[in-house]
Amino acid sequence: MNKNREYGPVKDNCLYGQKIVLVCLSLILNISLISCGIRKSVRHVPDIRRYALEIPEVSRINDSTFHFNQNRLTKNKQQLWELYIKGNPLQLGYNNGALTQHLMHKQEKIFFSKVQGFVPSKFKQNLLRGFLKWYNRKMYLNIREDDQAELYGLSRYSSDQYNFIAPEFLRIMYLHGAHDIGHAMQDLMMVGCTSLAVWDENTEDGDLLIGRNFDFYVGDDFAENKLVEMVEPETGIPYLSVSWPGMIGVVSGMNQEGLTVTINAGKSRIPLTAKTPVSLVTREILQYAKNIDEAVAIAKKKKVFVSESILVGSANDRKAIVIEISPDNFGVYEVKNSSRILCTNHFQSEAYKSDKRNRKQMVEGHSRYRYEKLQELLQEKKKLDPEKMAALLRDRSGLKGEKIGYGNEKAINQLLAHHAVIFSPEKRLVWVSSDPYQLGEFVCYDLNEIFSGKKNGNHQFSKPEMNIGRDPFADSLDFKNYESYRKLNADIEKASANGREILSDDLIRHYQRMNPDFWLVYQQAGKYYLKKKEYRKAKAEFERALTKEITTVPDRKNTEKLLKKVQRNLR
């Protein structure tokens, strides 16, 4: 009792000190909000007077089909939402918002509920709002006026439920920088993507072929409503992109000229202020570039605030390159005497040879391993076609076919992808994966047909006869077990963190049987037993984890550290 009383005031003083710090930070931020730069950014609204506008009157055909003039939103049988919009920038935003409003509201609710889960305290939420206004104070200065007009039109259909965070236009702009802010501020690397391009002797027909996994994960519910967006802008080049409702930026896309863009996150320093979201850089490339030189010229002019690799494929050039862009550097990686290019999450150009963060990423992360796995797969699959590319993107094994556990980020297929896409630029064909992850049917789209004006006759955007079939693994017992593992993992992680829940040995064994080759199931069990002071059990689990293919060097070091802690307690 006395001991508890002794520690009580210390804890209270610590909390009091934290509150003082938070209050001081809040005062600093509130004072900073009075500054001219913050005030201008919070009040900023784009000038939309130059654009003609027809307020959309959307007709609802059924729960999954809506249209306004030639603009249309429909859900296909593979559960992909397909959006076709056309017009000037403001009209594009209005058409997009009017058609996808119910989906946008869902995405906003999902995203902001996760923020509230991370930051449950109202006081800290207020602090976060002040920080966002300060941090994003220069974003509008780095976004094209036509993009701002489109964002403004889209924001007219945002939910007013979150106006306490920021007004609709500012909020929709902030959301376009969420990917950048997330991977810069927390170094989450939520985008551990893999992409590649092959041509000439590396494809069945000699044509350029590109594949990518977009391994961006912020929850199953966020990925539920995938959006295939077909945009016919008043100026520029029509294009198709794959993302989610409320997003006008591009993470994976191809335009009618056969130019493609995909983004892969790189190791980034924490920036001092938000600038141009990278998805809006790639959007501009897709809308205005016909070839690689034009794509590079656009990217070179941009001020970004995170590090990113942009794989650009071009039908007109019949090859692909990687643009490597960061806040203080710029490089272009182009292969010599080869007709293939690979891209994971490290930079390869001369401009980044001495970059410390990039070198550390290559040594400590999982990017290099996936790069080597791509090389290995391309040795096995000499000439790719779309079906073989899909099989490559779905590969779950480690180097030399080793079993490394499902969900391991060292695998090409990490079983968490938001989407996978295959591009055939010279034929103007795109294949988009459907759930689960990239295991479902790949749906084929022909850009020549979509932008020919014929698509509204049969109300079908895709070419089902050219779809790539569902991966049999999606219907296997192993996949069912993996999904059970994912559900159990959250419970085991919670129990190993707080020490309050009691888990039976049988439950832990069952959890491990659901994904027996994955190192994490043994580390999690070890952490649980360590919390319960069952040191011999914890030791066995950490030792077993160390026999598996652990994702990163820091993860391995952490497991070794935990094992040493257990061994000290056993002496």
Side-chain angles (χ1 to χ4, degrees), residues 261-310:
V261 291
T262 62
I263 61 173
N264 288 26
K267 197 73 172 178
S268 190
R269 63 177 174 81
I270 296 175
L272 296 176
T273 183
K275 293 185 181 177
T276 311
V278 72
S279 68
L280 293 180
V281 175
T282 46
R283 156 69 186 266
E284 184 176 341
I285 290 171
L286 211 57
Q287 188 173 344
Y288 294 103
K290 298 183 181 71
N291 55 48
I292 286 170
D293 286 344
E294 291 178 2
V296 171
I298 289 170
K300 215 165 192 175
K301 294 176 183 175
K302 296 300 172 184
K303 294 179 180 178
V304 297
F305 59 108
V306 294
S307 301
E308 205 85 21
S309 294
I310 305 169

Side-chain angles (χ1 to χ4, degrees), residues 448-462:
N448 285 328
E449 288 188 8
I450 289 168
F451 297 117
S452 69
K454 298 177 183 177
K455 68 277 171 187
N456 290 320
N458 58 16
H459 302 302
Q460 184 168 283
F461 292 107
S462 65

Side-chain angles (χ1 to χ4, degrees), residues 201-215:
E201 74 276 8
N202 290 303
T203 61
E204 287 285 358
D205 57 8
D207 283 358
L208 177 62
L209 188 67
I210 296 165
R212 78 96 92 254
N213 284 336
F214 187 61
D215 293 313

Side-chain angles (χ1 to χ4, degrees), residues 376-387:
E376 183 180 277
L377 289 170
L378 288 172
Q379 284 297 317
E380 297 169 8
K381 305 174 192 294
K382 295 293 185 184
K383 290 182 180 290
L384 294 184
D385 58 18
E387 288 77 15

Side-chain angles (χ1 to χ4, degrees), residues 5 59 113 148 179 187 203 229 247 293 390 416 493 504 510:
R5 279 197 213 97
S59 298
S113 66
Q148 289 192 42
H179 151 77
D187 201 20
T203 61
E229 190 172 351
M247 176 74 158
D293 286 344
L416 52 72
E493 186 174 21
S504 69
H510 173 70

